[in-house]
Amino acid sequence: CYSSGFTILLESESVLTQNGISLISDIAVDWAGKNVYYGDTFTGSIYALTMNGKYRKTIVKNQNELQSLVIDMKRRSLLFSTWWRNGQANSRSAIHTVHMDGLELREYLGPDLTGARPWTLTIDHETDKLFFLDYYGIMDAGFIASIDLRIRKPTKTNVIQLKSGVISPLNFLAIYKDEVFYFDGRSSRQFITSFNSTTGRDLKTQWKPKDWIGIMDGVIAHPSRQPYVAASSCKECPQLCLLSPHIDATCYCGQGFSRGAGRTCTRDTKFSLVVSSGSLLEINTEHDSLPRRLPVKMSATTTDVHFNPVTRDIIFFDNSVKEIIKASSDGRLIKALINRGLEKARQFNVDFLNKAMYWISGDTLQVANLEGENQRTVIKAGMARVESYIIDGMSGIVRWPALITWKKKRALSNWELRSYLIGTGEALPATSINTALMRSLKFSPQHSIFIWINNNHMEFIHLNKTGGRANAVTILPKYRNEEINDIAILNEHLYYLQKTTKLVRTSLLDFSIHRDVATLPPSSRINLYDANQLYWRGEIKKLVSMDQEVTFREAVAQCKTAFGEEGEGTLAVIQDEDQNAEILERIRSKSLWIGYELTYNYQIWRWNDSSVRSSYENWAPGHPSFGIEYGPVTGNYEFAAIMNLDGKWKVAPAHKKFGYVCQLVKKTNQCLYGGGKDCSGMCVPRAGGFTCTCKDHLRLITGSKTECELDPCSKSSCRDGCTLTSSRETRCTCPPGMYLREKDQICTMVASFVIVATDNMIVEQSIGSEVPLTRTLFASYKYAISSIAVNVESKTVYFSDKLTNMVFALDLLTSKEKVMFSDHPVANSSGGIVDLTYDWVERRLIYVNNAMLATSDHHIYSRNIYDTADKRIMVTEQAVINSVWCHATRGYVYYTVADGTVKRLNVKEGSKPEVIFEKDHKIYGVTSRNSGKEIFLASEHAVLVADLDGDSPKVYHNYNGGQPSKPTIAAQDDTLYWVRADEYGDVVVAGSSTKVDQPLYHAQMVYSSSREYDHIVKIAIYDAEQQSSAPPVTEPHTSRTKVIVGSVVGIIVLVAMVIGILAIRRRFFRNSSYSFLVNRERATNEIDIANVTFDNPTYEPEDDDDYEGNRLVMPNIALSQIEDYNLDGDSFGADRI
């Protein structure tokens, strides 16, 4: 965005979309306040965003179908257009105006003036006019009109350009001087057109593109488009500076922050993490705000995500790669905690209190610590049908609902709430519950309440002990007829996520008032966190604030008895920023005493609770002082700390009177505060104590409660990984993507991968490793991938995009793509580039490019990968071509047409295509092994194998009802890879005549609410040996134009080199002459330094008697002096002459 000399790059996938934006309608740049305003059609809101993408504020809410917005800098306002339709006959359009700080929203032009749909707005700052384009217009004719912005409430518009036909409905309307530029897309070849902004005449075609191109937007880059405006007070704003017509500017805090004292902003501590189609969104739960997308990479099938409020790390189970991963919340640090043995893992859970991770694996419940170590089995059977469970970290109990019977007449199920001690696996008495469904079970330890989802409502029970029978109580949601996706509990509130993408909050005390918190993209799972929630620290804490003003010693005394029989309290203790914010919430109008006091010798500050050792402090500027704000200090005064309204601490004499905050803390977790801290394995708390558990196949040392047996893996020779068998023998293991060499037991990276292309992603998975390594190479919703091909020699994957009909080269080392070439436009689903294959012998990319109309000619082309202008037509067909495959070693090109026939072309002989297969099966794809003498054919129902001539076909594999969305196959050695479908989506499967079919990769979920999965469009094999016999790279074929241009450039370079050598030679002899040096140095005192024009250093010969040492003389223009450098000795000194 050009902004009066200030240039900023807004990366659409890193700055804007990381903040959770779903559908941006338009953007406008505030070049004075350095903000970007944008409209989001999904939420119906307009937001102000700082140019670094860090802070954002909602300006306008609840607008229907936002279209375009512009900034009127003279009036410091935003103008934006909306369009609303309720049925075909009832529609309404308008142009609105609002101040840039979000105040005084009003309708500027009603539907009687804007036409059918005001699509694009722009402002001429010189004439003070607003121009807008309506592509529906009057009597089905699009028009462009203008209006004088100096009129507060216009009554008419000036139509200056009326077109018969439809002006393209795209965001391109711009003004420069006296001309209006717009995009005319009435034909397949689209024009940039201009006309006079006053008369509407002088219609000109400014640009007529040679080839079809999709123009989405356009701007005029010139300083006149952004006249200078001073915004001096913006320098004082810590986050957002929004301009206003009434005052210069106002400072605002971004979403997720609250206003502190003065102009400070403090981060909100209560938030929710929402998983939505591979994106992790953070939402403030205290006020309605737009979700902020965290820059943490995860697959679309990831649902179980957990946040550590102490370390601010994120731990999640990635279902596509079968790994438990830890990442920092800024996305910078990421590592796999566990990457093997998770093939059957699901329902991932984390107990941050006891630093443990849990997951269901088959019929068992597994646990490991937060570093992925000490893995063991908690429950050995009975977990196969468990869909949700909860970990009570304070009690060391795991609970889950289990279905027992179903009563048809009452339409009720008999469910049990089962409980087990984590440390011992001992079963506790189950509680029977009459309900139809128990899904997404949640637990509030503060209230002893269990809540779950039952179809489109929620139910709960109070449970203080296990066993017996409980009756469920119904909680009706705000939106009665909509399914509930997930629920979560945070402090005193219940949050639930409905299918409308609404996150709603209600109180755990009465469930009567329901309030919308946020509008989300389609989401399946929510987790709520409070950074102040001391439950994470293993403490049960109560806080109470007192408004009564007393001295510090009186506050200490009253806190001791404030909680009665519950225990002895103390003044509030603050050990970190989160606890400081928690105390700050208790301050109503005045400062309060906290339990931080100065010792008598005025040397050490300490907490009134002597058991606490903490280095955290949050002093206000100038503090700790000695209370000089409260008058002169005389006598032997004591001093203590008070917390102000902004959360900062100040020193006050202890005899002054303030309110105070008391706390009662019970440290019940023996694993954190008792003997469990010495456990060498994993410590699990239980009522009145703890249990120390060891990893599988190891036990506690006899007579010890905390020491596990020595792990034999600690003495093994394994370099990369080790595991124990049931007989306690060690076995070496390798990280994902590596295999163990038998001769030396060293892990080595595999050289083969299966490449999977879906509609929007390219993924690779290792072949031949014990634990597969799955890596996303490319993912973007800007493209719709139609096919891929692999070039092992250059480590490149080529892929085609059916939206733009372009072919890209994706570097496997850097995961960066670049455009190779583009072809004709796509007009329907069968048109354009539909398949690719690579001839690694000739180094040519072969591709199918179908015509826009099925009745036209369809072609197979080949291009030189080093010179894409070298394009050849290989095949012309009347029928639509479905796929193509190159058997490079044989020189054959196989392709299939619409009726399922397979044809073959001999590239080496240049023969015409011949039909080799037209049997009962309709063939969609062909592949072969590199040196094989057979081909594999993918049909609708099975994979066939035949010889190279298509003879002797036989069924190699039946899909058995699992027909994929697009049959595609690949082969390597004796293994065949194909795609079949399960109940969710496409799956890549590997198998052979001797091996059992093995699922490798499942297509990822696209929309969690509808359970829609991505489609696999092509699979390919990356194998270094498969393309190892290619001839050496020769000079690529070049076009005649390139030869001519290259020759001319070569001659110019040669002439320049000759001229440069002659100039240097002449300069060298002149500057290195002895007489020239002597004359110049003798005249040094008379030289005007500013007139010295030479800049080459002069070398003085070492054997000259008049000069001592080996020296270098050169001018220093910056210091206006000539310097004489001594080049001898260890030092390099300069003497000014």
Side-chain angles (χ1 to χ4, degrees):
C1 308
Y2 179 86
S3 178
S4 298
F6 180 80
T7 304
I8 187 74
L9 175 65
L10 290 177
E11 299 177 4
S12 62
E13 291 190 351
S14 62
V15 174
L16 289 180
T17 58
Q18 74 177 7
N19 291 308
I21 297 170
S22 53
L23 185 57
I24 302 174
S25 59
D26 199 9
I27 64 173
V29 177
D30 170 15
W31 59 92
K34 301 295 184 290
N35 299 309
V36 175
Y37 290 82
Y38 63 88
D40 185 355
T41 302
F42 179 79
T43 61
S45 301
I46 296 176
Y47 304 93
L49 177 75
T50 56
M51 283 191 173
N52 58 13
K54 289 185 177 180
Y55 307 110
R56 175 188 47 216
K57 175 178 171 55
T58 305
I59 302 300
V60 176
K61 294 181 180 180
N62 303 322
Q63 297 298 316
N64 293 299
E65 200 73 24
L66 287 167
Q67 299 296 333
S68 178
L69 65 153
V70 292
I71 290 178
D72 180 7
M73 191 58 73
K74 288 186 179 180
R75 279 155 284 275
R76 303 208 170 184
S77 301
L78 277 175
L79 290 156
F80 62 93
S81 59
T82 59
W83 177 74
W84 177 73
R85 171 179 289 181
N86 183 12
Q88 189 66 28
N90 188 7
S91 63
R92 191 180 194 280
S93 61
I95 296 177
H96 307 265
T97 181
V98 64
H99 293 170
M100 294 172 69
D101 57 1
L103 301 177
E104 297 188 23
L105 172 66
R106 64 184 178 89
E107 186 175 278
Y108 186 65
L109 289 178
D112 53 331
L113 298 177
T114 60
R117 189 170 184 175
W119 189 270
T120 307
L121 310 178
T122 190
I123 290 179
D124 186 351
H125 298 288
E126 295 182 358
T127 62
D128 218 11
K129 290 183 179 180
L130 170 70
F131 291 78
F132 63 92
L133 178 151
D134 190 311
Y135 81 95
Y136 283 138
I138 303 171
M139 299 180 63
D140 296 327
F143 69 91
I144 297 173
S146 68
I147 195 164
D148 193 335
L149 287 172
R150 292 170 294 187
I151 303 175
R152 177 173 172 81
K153 186 63 179 176
T155 57
K156 64 177 182 178
T157 60
N158 178 30
V159 177
I160 55 175
Q161 181 66 28
L162 185 65
K163 297 296 295 182
S164 58
V166 177
I167 296 177
S168 174
L170 297 177
N171 296 344
F172 185 20
L173 181 66
I175 307 293
Y176 179 62
K177 294 185 177 180
D178 59 349
E179 284 189 289
V180 177
F181 295 80
Y182 71 95
F183 175 51
D184 192 340
R186 290 170 293 162
S187 62
S188 60
R189 206 171 259 196
Q190 303 154 347
F191 304 150
I192 301 293
T193 310
S194 70
F195 59 86
N196 187 281
S197 60
T198 303
T199 63
R201 300 176 180 177
D202 300 330
L203 193 65
K204 304 173 187 176
T205 298
Q206 296 286 353
W207 183 47
K208 185 183 297 184
K210 183 177 180 181
D211 297 320
W212 184 90
I213 183 170
I215 300 175
M216 299 304 296
D217 203 356
V219 295
I220 300 295
H222 191 271
S224 64
R225 298 295 301 141
Q226 295 180 352
Y228 174 76
V229 176
S232 58
S233 60
C234 281
K235 298 178 182 179
E236 303 175 9
C237 295
Q239 292 189 359
L240 278 161
C241 174
L242 302 183
L243 306 185
S244 171
H246 304 304
I247 57 177
D248 182 24
T250 305
C251 295
Y252 288 90
C253 295
Q255 290 178 346
F257 293 83
S258 300
R259 189 69 175 265
R263 293 189 172 186
T264 61
C265 297
T266 59
R267 179 177 289 277
D268 296 328
T269 60
K270 296 181 177 63
F271 63 93
S272 167
L273 288 184
V274 179
V275 182
S276 175
S277 303
S279 298
L280 189 59
L281 308 179
E282 179 183 292
I283 304 166
N284 182 277
T285 57
E286 293 302 295
H287 52 76
D288 190 4
S289 64
L290 187 71
R292 184 176 73 93
R293 179 171 287 129
L294 298 180
V296 179
K297 294 183 179 180
M298 58 184 63
S299 68
T301 54
T302 301
T303 55
D304 299 319
V305 180
H306 300 272
F307 175 79
N308 189 336
V310 178
T311 64
R312 300 194 66 82
D313 290 331
I314 293 168
I315 302 179
F316 60 93
F317 173 63
D318 194 320
N319 191 49
S320 67
V321 298
K322 303 297 183 182
E323 292 182 350
I324 296 175
I325 298 172
K326 180 171 74 172
S328 57
S329 55
D330 59 6
R332 294 180 180 178
L333 301 177
I334 184 168
K335 72 173 184 176
L337 299 176
I338 302 178
N339 51 30
R340 57 172 61 89
L342 300 175
E343 291 76 13
K344 298 181 180 180
R346 60 186 180 87
Q347 294 297 323
F348 178 67
N349 213 329
V350 178
D351 175 15
F352 289 111
L353 172 64
N354 299 297
K355 300 179 176 62
M357 305 182 296
Y358 297 83
W359 65 93
I360 296 175
S361 180
D363 200 31
T364 67
L365 181 66
Q366 302 290 318
V367 65
N369 63 24
L370 292 186
E371 296 302 321
E373 302 167 344
N374 294 332
Q375 181 178 339
R376 69 178 186 88
T377 303
V378 177
I379 299 175
K380 298 181 178 180
M383 303 295 292
R385 300 182 62 182
V386 175
E387 294 298 329
S388 64
Y389 64 95
I390 53 176
I391 302 295
D392 183 357
M394 297 289 287
S395 305
I397 298 175
V398 57
R399 294 185 173 95
W400 70 87
L403 178 64
I404 306 302
T405 58
W406 182 56
K407 302 177 182 179
K408 292 185 178 180
K409 292 183 179 180
R410 296 185 180 180
L412 288 176
S413 298
N414 192 9
W415 289 74
E416 281 186 350
L417 184 61
R418 297 179 177 177
S419 304
Y420 280 76
L421 289 175
I422 299 174
T424 62
E426 176 187 353
L428 301 176
T431 302
S432 299
I433 303 172
N434 284 334
T435 184
L437 179 66
M438 293 185 71
R439 181 170 63 86
S440 188
L441 180 68
K442 295 296 186 294
F443 172 60
S444 172
Q446 291 90 342
H447 301 85
S448 297
I449 185 173
F450 293 86
I451 303 179
W452 62 88
I453 299 174
N454 184 351
N455 292 318
N456 60 353
H457 65 274
M458 296 159 288
E459 295 178 340
F460 74 94
I461 59 170
H462 285 284
L463 188 65
N464 294 317
K465 63 179 181 178
T466 57
R469 178 175 295 276
N471 294 318
V473 181
T474 300
I475 306 171
L476 295 177
K478 182 176 182 179
Y479 305 97
R480 301 292 174 86
N481 297 322
E482 294 187 4
E483 183 181 344
I484 301 173
N485 288 347
D486 199 15
I487 60 175
I489 294 174
L490 179 63
N491 297 336
E492 305 293 330
H493 294 96
L494 168 68
Y495 294 79
Y496 55 93
L497 181 64
Q498 295 207 253
K499 204 168 184 179
T500 53
T501 68
K502 292 286 188 182
L503 180 62
V504 187
R505 183 177 76 180
T506 185
S507 172
L508 284 174
L509 301 178
D510 56 12
F511 304 110
S512 60
I513 300 176
H514 299 255
R515 185 177 71 85
D516 290 349
V517 175
T519 300
L520 307 174
S523 308
S524 60
R525 194 69 58 88
I526 56 173
N527 286 307
L528 300 178
Y529 300 96
D530 182 357
N532 302 325
Q533 198 172 15
L534 294 181
Y535 177 69
W536 300 117
R537 300 181 179 89
E539 302 171 344
I540 300 177
K541 182 173 182 177
K542 288 188 176 181
L543 289 172
V544 58
S545 59
M546 301 294 184
D547 292 331
Q548 178 187 1
E549 295 185 353
V550 297
T551 66
F552 179 76
R553 290 301 166 194
E554 291 172 341
V556 171
Q558 293 188 24
C559 280
K560 288 183 178 181
T561 59
F563 299 95
E565 296 180 357
E566 292 186 65
E568 184 177 297
T570 65
L571 273 174
V573 174
I574 303 173
Q575 303 181 62
D576 53 40
E577 181 180 354
D578 297 334
Q579 292 184 358
N580 194 79
E582 182 181 27
I583 302 299
L584 180 61
E585 291 183 354
R586 305 284 173 164
I587 298 179
R588 297 180 176 87
S589 59
K590 295 182 180 181
S591 301
L592 299 177
W593 287 118
I594 58 176
Y596 208 37
E597 60 179 325
L598 188 64
T599 57
Y600 284 107
N601 58 6
Y602 298 161
Q603 296 294 321
I604 300 174
W605 283 88
R606 69 181 183 185
W607 290 103
N608 183 250
D609 183 352
S610 59
S611 65
V612 176
R613 299 289 185 271
S614 174
S615 60
Y616 175 79
E617 292 179 334
N618 190 34
W619 293 110
H623 285 259
S625 63
F626 289 98
I628 57 175
E629 297 181 20
Y630 304 94
V633 178
T634 59
N636 188 20
Y637 281 154
E638 296 179 272
F639 294 94
I642 58 172
M643 180 184 287
N644 282 350
L645 299 178
D646 60 355
K648 296 293 183 181
W649 307 351
K650 288 187 176 182
V651 178
H655 69 277
K656 293 291 182 180
K657 294 185 177 182
F658 297 96
Y660 55 97
V661 180
C662 300
Q663 71 174 27
L664 175 66
V665 178
K666 292 183 178 180
K667 300 176 180 178
T668 61
N669 193 323
Q670 293 297 307
C671 287
L672 299 179
Y673 302 105
K677 293 188 294 183
D678 300 326
C679 178
S680 62
M682 180 178 296
C683 181
V684 179
R686 58 181 172 82
F690 67 93
T691 301
C692 186
T693 62
C694 304
K695 64 183 297 184
D696 283 346
H697 312 307
L698 294 179
R699 296 181 293 272
L700 289 172
I701 296 175
T702 304
S704 174
K705 293 184 178 181
T706 59
E707 191 69 24
C708 296
E709 295 176 324
L710 180 65
D711 188 352
C713 280
S714 62
K715 295 184 177 181
S716 73
S717 58
C718 299
R719 298 186 179 184
D720 296 283
C722 176
T723 186
L724 288 180
T725 64
S726 57
S727 58
R728 297 164 65 91
E729 296 179 353
T730 61
R731 185 173 69 87
C732 295
T733 58
C734 291
M738 305 183 77
Y739 69 95
L740 190 69
R741 292 195 311 211
E742 294 183 2
K743 60 179 182 179
D744 52 13
Q745 296 292 292
I746 294 178
C747 293
T748 306
M749 181 63 70
V750 300
S752 303
F753 296 85
V754 57
I755 311 293
V756 181
T758 67
D759 294 329
N760 306 106
M761 299 178 63
I762 299 176
V763 178
E764 71 171 6
Q765 183 167 306
S766 60
I767 299 174
S769 58
E770 181 182 0
V771 180
L773 172 65
T774 305
R775 186 167 68 102
T776 301
L777 301 173
F778 176 79
S780 177
Y781 288 94
K782 296 185 295 186
Y783 304 116
I785 300 171
S786 58
S787 184
I788 57 171
V790 175
N791 182 349
V792 174
E793 183 181 36
S794 64
K795 296 179 175 57
T796 302
V797 172
Y798 306 107
F799 69 91
S800 53
D801 173 29
K802 61 185 178 183
L803 297 180
T804 62
N805 220 48
M806 292 182 177
V807 174
F808 298 82
L810 176 67
D811 191 316
L812 294 180
L813 299 180
T814 63
S815 295
K816 293 182 178 180
E817 80 277 9
K818 65 178 181 179
V819 178
M820 288 194 67
F821 60 86
S822 63
D823 253 308
H824 301 296
V826 181
N828 52 43
S829 59
S830 62
I833 299 176
V834 296
D835 200 11
L836 305 172
T837 186
Y838 179 59
D839 184 349
W840 47 268
V841 174
E842 297 294 329
R843 293 183 174 87
R844 300 187 70 85
L845 191 64
I846 301 171
Y847 60 97
V848 177
N849 191 0
N850 287 326
M852 292 186 293
L853 301 177
T855 56
S856 303
D857 289 341
H858 310 278
H859 301 284
I860 296 179
Y861 297 95
S862 75
R863 289 187 189 244
N864 189 319
I865 61 170
Y866 298 108
D867 181 15
T868 56
D870 180 8
K871 175 182 175 181
R872 306 172 188 173
I873 296 179
M874 301 182 69
V875 174
T876 300
E877 286 281 350
Q878 293 293 323
V880 173
I881 304 173
N882 288 333
S883 65
V884 63
W885 169 255
C886 177
H887 195 314
T889 54
R890 298 280 179 162
Y892 292 154
V893 172
Y894 296 88
Y895 64 94
T896 62
V897 293
D899 62 359
T901 301
V902 181
K903 296 185 178 183
R904 184 181 67 182
L905 173 70
N906 192 322
V907 179
K908 295 181 179 179
E909 299 178 358
S911 60
K912 294 182 178 180
E914 58 177 335
V915 176
I916 65 164
F917 189 90
E918 49 181 351
K919 309 295 181 182
D920 298 334
H921 295 271
K922 185 177 181 180
I923 304 303
Y924 289 90
V926 182
T927 192
S928 63
R929 300 185 181 97
N930 178 38
S931 57
K933 298 180 180 180
E934 55 191 4
I935 56 174
F936 297 92
L937 312 172
S939 70
E940 289 179 310
H941 308 290
V943 177
L944 310 177
V945 60
D947 61 23
L948 295 179
D949 298 325
D951 298 329
S952 305
K954 60 181 180 180
V955 175
Y956 187 85
H957 176 79
N958 277 309
Y959 294 135
N960 297 324
Q963 181 178 347
S965 57
K966 182 178 180 180
T968 176
I969 52 177
Q972 185 213 25
D973 298 330
D974 62 341
T975 305
L976 187 68
Y977 302 84
W978 65 89
V979 177
R980 63 173 172 81
D982 63 8
E983 57 181 322
Y984 299 110
D986 293 342
V987 184
V988 178
V989 180
S992 67
S993 56
T994 59
K995 295 181 181 179
V996 179
D997 296 351
Q998 178 186 2
L1000 295 181
Y1001 176 81
H1002 199 293
Q1004 299 185 15
M1005 188 185 298
V1006 179
Y1007 300 107
S1008 54
S1009 59
S1010 63
R1011 310 293 293 181
E1012 181 181 344
Y1013 283 77
D1014 207 355
H1015 299 132
I1016 295 177
V1017 297
K1018 186 71 177 290
I1019 56 177
I1021 301 298
Y1022 179 95
D1023 186 356
E1025 297 181 358
Q1026 201 169 38
Q1027 297 182 10
S1028 59
S1029 57
V1033 179
T1034 57
E1035 197 68 29
H1037 299 287
T1038 56
S1039 62
R1040 179 178 300 177
T1041 302
K1042 289 188 176 182
V1043 171
I1044 296 173
V1045 172
S1047 301
V1048 172
V1049 172
I1051 293 172
I1052 294 173
V1053 171
L1054 182 60
V1055 171
M1057 289 176 61
V1058 172
I1059 295 173
I1061 292 172
L1062 293 176
I1064 293 172
R1065 184 169 178 269
R1066 180 180 178 184
R1067 188 65 169 270
F1068 174 81
F1069 281 114
R1070 178 174 179 266
N1071 282 1
S1072 61
S1073 63
Y1074 179 73
S1075 60
F1076 175 78
L1077 173 66
V1078 173
N1079 293 334
R1080 192 184 68 181
E1081 187 163 350
R1082 287 175 178 172
T1084 298
N1085 293 331
E1086 292 132 24
I1087 290 178
D1088 181 3
I1089 298 298
N1091 293 327
V1092 177
T1093 58
F1094 54 86
D1095 56 3
N1096 287 333
T1098 303
Y1099 174 74
E1100 297 160 3
E1102 189 175 5
D1103 56 355
D1104 186 73
D1105 295 334
D1106 294 336
Y1107 291 88
E1108 297 179 359
N1110 195 13
R1111 312 189 69 81
L1112 184 71
V1113 178
M1114 63 187 298
N1116 188 331
I1117 304 301
L1119 298 178
S1120 297
Q1121 67 186 33
I1122 295 177
E1123 295 175 349
D1124 180 7
Y1125 287 84
N1126 182 2
L1127 303 182
D1128 290 336
D1130 296 332
S1131 64
F1132 186 73
D1135 299 321
R1136 176 177 177 180
I1137 62 173

